[in-house]
Amino acid sequence: MREFIDLRSDTVTRPTPAMRQAMFEAEVGDDVYHEDPSVNRLEALAAEIVGKEAAVFVPTGTMGNQSAIRAHTQRGDEVIVHERSHIVLYEVGGVAQLSGCVTRTISTPNGILDWNRIEPLVRGESDHFNGVALIAVENTHNILGGHVYPQELLNEICDQAHERGIPVHMDGARIFNAATYLGTPPREVAEKVDSVMFCLSKGLGAPVGSMLAGSREFIERARMARKVFGGSMRQAGVLAAAGIVALENSPAGLPRDHKNARFIAESLARVPGISIDPTDVQTNIVIFDVEGTGMTGREVSAKLRERGVLSNAVAPYRMRMLTHYDVTREQCERAMEVMTEVCAGVQVAVGD
Ligand SMILES: *Cc1c(COP(=O)(O)O)cnc(C)c1O
C-alpha cells in the first residue's frame, strides 16, 4: 500500500516500538476489581500530571467527557459550553442522551470563552428550570483551530463559577498541546478546573484510551458513569502500558509538531486562493479557507488524496490539517508542494 502523508488528525498515530514492547510485557489483572497494576499505575501517573487526587482510564475521550458530565449533573440540569465544542458537535448528543441535560451554548470565533460571555447565561434553580450545573471548556479548542485558553481567562471562569457553586470541566483532549504552547506544566493549566479529560490516543500516540481526573469523590462517581456506559474494562493493562509510555515520552515531541503546523500555515498563506493567518496557529491544528481557489474543501481534499496527501474538509470551504509525531518536516514540505500544485492547476483551468 502506498504511504500517505496523513494530516487528517493526530488520532492516526500508531503505537511506537516502545509502546508495543510495554504492551507485550504489561502486568495485568481485572481492573473492575482494581487489580490491574498497569491501569493503577497509569491512573496514579495521570492524576499526578494534572494535579488532581484521582483519575480513571476510559476507552475514549468521548466517554471521559460524558462520564464527567454525568458525574457533575442531574437530569434537567443546564451545561454551558461553546457552540462549536466537541461535546456539542461530535458526541452524538450525549449530554441529552446519557445525562438528560440541556446545553446552553455560546459562540466565539476562536472557541475560547470568557466570564463576561458566560455570566449572562448563569442562573440558579427556580420553578421553571434547574439552572446551570456545569461549565465545560475545551482546551485546546479543536474545530476552530487549536486555540489555547490564556491562563488568567480560564482561572477567572473557574473562580467566578466556584463562587456560584458551579463546577468547571475541561475537555483537555489536547491539554499537553496547550501546556506546550503556554510553557507551563499541565497541572497549572488544569489547576482550577474541577475535572479534566485528556486523550492518550492523539498527539501522545497511544493506540487507545483517555483519562478523566478530578477529586477522589468525583472520580468514584465517574467510575459509576463509566460502568453504566459500558466502559469498565478487565485486563486493560495492555492498553494502559502504552498510555504510560505515551505520558512519559511523548510530550517532549510536541514542540516539533507545533513548529510543523506553523510551517504548514506559513506555506499555505503563500498559496494563491488560500486564506489563513499563520500567527493564529498556536498548536498542532491548522484550519484554513479555500474559497479563493474556486474549489470546495472536499474537492481540494480529493485532489490532495490523489497525490498522496490526506486532509479533512471541516466546512464547505474550510479545511483542517493536523501535525503529529508520524509526520516529518520533509512530509510537511512535500504536502505543501502538492497543495501548491493542486491550487495552481485549478487557477489555470479557471483562467482558460
Ligand atoms: C478527539 C476529541 C475528543 C474525543 O476523543 P475520542 O477518543 O475520539 O472519543 C473530545 N474532545 C476533543 C476536543 C477532541 O478533539
Side-chain angles (χ1 to χ4, degrees), residues 37-47 57 200 211 240 243-244 247:
S38 302
V39 173
N40 292 343
R41 262 181 66 210
L42 172 65
E43 291 180 344
L45 179 62
F57 183 44
L200 302 168
M211 306 304 303
I244 293 168
L247 286 177

Side-chain angles (χ1 to χ4, degrees), residues 65-139:
N65 281 336
Q66 294 301 327
S67 300
I69 292 164
R70 180 66 163 259
H72 280 302
T73 61
Q74 302 293 325
R75 297 182 75 77
D77 286 349
E78 300 173 349
V79 179
I80 294 181
V81 61
H82 195 283
E83 186 231 329
R84 307 293 311 278
S85 62
H86 196 279
I87 286 173
V88 168
L89 291 181
Y90 305 114
E91 299 187 8
V92 207
V95 179
Q97 294 212 60
L98 302 175
S99 294
C101 290
V102 60
T103 53
R104 311 235 359 253
T105 58
I106 299 173
S107 178
T108 66
N110 61 0
I112 304 300
L113 301 177
D114 56 70
W115 183 252
N116 285 339
R117 286 178 226 248
I118 294 172
E119 187 169 25
L121 271 64
V122 172
R123 56 185 191 172
E125 207 176 345
S126 88
D127 287 347
H128 302 282
F129 42 78
N130 282 7
V132 174
L134 180 65
I135 296 166
V137 296
E138 189 170 312
N139 197 15

Side-chain angles (χ1 to χ4, degrees), residues 184-208:
T184 55
R187 78 169 62 78
E188 275 180 41
V189 179
E191 187 189 347
K192 297 212 173 193
V193 300
D194 301 86
S195 58
V196 53
M197 183 285 287
F198 62 92
C199 295
L200 302 168
S201 57
K202 293 189 171 161
L204 301 188
V208 173

Side-chain angles (χ1 to χ4, degrees), residues 7-9 142 285-287 311-312 314 319-322:
L7 303 172
R8 287 172 302 173
S9 177
N142 178 344
I285 303 179
V286 185
I287 305 269
S311 60
N312 272 334
V314 293
M319 292 183 61
R320 191 183 75 163
M321 288 182 172
L322 264 86

